[in-house]
Amino acid sequence: MGGPGEPPEGAPEGTSGGGEEEFRSVVFDESFVSAARLQEYSAEERIADHAPAVRPRPPLRRTGLSRQALALVLLIALAFGTAIYMGVRHPYQNPAARRAVEPLRMTVIPLAPQGAVPGTADPAYLFEHSPAAQFRIGADGIPLPPSRRTAHFSDSQVVTALTTAKEYLVRSSLDPEVLTGQQVRPVRMLLDTDQLDQFDESFTHPAADGRHAPTGWLVRFDPARAELADDGVRVQGTLQAAEADAATLEVTADHTFVYALRPPGADAKAPVSLFTVRRELQFRFDRDDLRLRQTQLIVSYVQAGPLSCGEDSTNHLRPLLAGRTAQRGGPAGTDPYATGGATSLCGSLAASAQPSV
């Protein structure tokens, strides 16, 4: 009897039991058949068309592999481009060194009248008969000059510096809430952050030291002494911009503001007088200031009157109103040997600067 897997009559002659082993390593699986370059026609196809026994098969398209390769190439290109961009514009690179912001240096000079302060009940009459007759009203009196680009700043940057300086003048000299001492925030918002400590200290601890006088930062009247009789403040002056260096623009402002004042709570028939403030300010802008539309105020030179030289004008301006005269005596004596203090100054208000009534 034959062994397992053999015919009952035994293996054919000429063969041996190990014949199967010879072809056992050849496995015709599905992938092998699919990859064949030749395909046998079916019996029906051969009978109908008398075709040859085999036909060539079209090559397989390996679309999946091609798409993966393309995606890999794009990914590598994107990573390479990102690396180059980050090398040129690194988001964490150290900013350029910035020059330290200077503290504001200020001088406030009261101007004492030579006689009684003239006044009348009609503010318009006073303006028409004063040197401010041709002044414009409000912000119209602060025109912007034609802008000119500089060696290191564009025309738009120069315009930004000029408009920011004008905005500071409007807020600090014309805003009714600032003038009456109710607000300081509109002015504070325009200052470089490095000057805010000095600004805040000026209002919490005012001092006549040339650094911390509120009236050096803005115009405000003592509400117990005077109030506005006319919101139409007369203004005249100039703005000029110039490049200080490759990193700094400077704007110089020189303006005269004329206010109509009356005693607080007085009726419309009460006499009105004019009060004049001349402000010469110097603003500084670096590129951060221009971007943020803020400024550094580095010089403030103020002349204001009619005031009495014997009264302190550091915290508020205390105007002399219609019919009043200046107190006798001038400012307290100054010790030239003392250090750390500011010299007290006082001027005389010319008669020609007053309205003729």
Side-chain angles (χ1 to χ4, degrees), residues 4 18 44 50 55 140 219 227 258 302 356:
E44 184 178 353
H50 303 283
R55 59 182 169 186
D140 290 341
V219 177
E227 67 180 20
V258 185
V302 179
S356 56

Side-chain angles (χ1 to χ4, degrees), residues 4-166:
E6 294 181 0
E9 61 275 12
E13 295 182 1
T15 63
S16 62
E20 290 185 8
E21 299 297 331
E22 182 179 355
F23 299 100
R24 185 164 295 179
S25 62
V26 180
V27 180
F28 298 96
D29 58 7
E30 184 179 352
S31 62
F32 179 84
V33 174
S34 298
R37 300 299 302 273
L38 297 177
Q39 181 182 20
E40 182 179 4
Y41 283 94
S42 67
E44 184 178 353
E45 289 175 331
R46 292 199 300 271
I47 293 173
D49 298 330
H50 303 283
V54 295
R55 59 182 169 186
R57 299 184 64 181
L60 294 176
R61 296 182 180 179
R62 301 182 179 274
T63 55
L65 180 59
S66 300
R67 290 176 182 174
Q68 292 177 0
L70 179 60
L72 181 60
V73 170
L74 291 176
L75 183 61
I76 294 174
L78 179 61
F80 186 74
T82 302
I84 294 177
Y85 178 83
M86 296 292 284
V88 175
R89 291 181 175 271
H90 198 291
Y92 303 106
Q93 60 187 352
N94 294 328
R98 186 187 186 198
R99 182 169 59 182
V101 175
E102 295 182 13
L104 169 62
R105 294 173 285 115
M106 59 184 70
T107 304
V108 180
I109 302 177
L111 301 177
Q114 299 179 9
V117 177
T120 182
D122 184 6
Y125 181 87
L126 286 177
F127 282 123
E128 290 172 3
H129 293 79
S130 76
Q134 303 303 317
F135 285 15
R136 295 182 179 181
I137 298 177
D140 290 341
I142 312 175
L144 297 179
S147 59
R148 296 286 187 275
R149 64 175 300 155
T150 66
H152 299 93
F153 292 90
S154 67
D155 188 78
S156 63
Q157 289 175 314
V158 175
V159 170
T160 297
L162 289 168
T163 54
T164 304
K166 176 177 178 175

Side-chain angles (χ1 to χ4, degrees), residues 104-112 168-169 172-173 210 213-221 253-257 259 275-283 297 299-305 307 313-314 316-317 343-347:
L104 169 62
R105 294 173 285 115
M106 59 184 70
T107 304
V108 180
I109 302 177
L111 301 177
Y168 186 94
L169 287 166
S172 64
S173 309
T215 50
W217 295 98
L218 48 81
V219 177
R220 68 174 184 174
F221 302 108
D254 185 354
H255 292 80
T256 300
F257 301 85
Y259 307 86
F275 189 86
T276 304
V277 179
R278 181 172 179 179
R279 305 183 75 195
E280 298 176 56
L281 307 179
Q282 186 174 351
F283 302 92
L297 182 59
V299 175
S300 174
Y301 182 82
V302 179
Q303 301 175 70
L307 289 170
S313 300
T314 301
H316 293 88
L317 298 174
T343 302
S344 299
L345 300 173
C346 186

Side-chain angles (χ1 to χ4, degrees), residues 307-357:
L307 289 170
S308 179
C309 292
E311 292 194 87
D312 183 14
S313 300
T314 301
N315 196 14
H316 293 88
L317 298 174
R318 298 181 169 88
L320 294 173
L321 302 181
R324 300 286 301 274
T325 58
Q327 296 178 2
R328 293 184 178 181
T334 300
D335 182 0
Y337 294 96
T339 59
T343 302
S344 299
L345 300 173
C346 186
S348 179
L349 184 62
S352 59
Q354 298 276 41
S356 56
V357 296

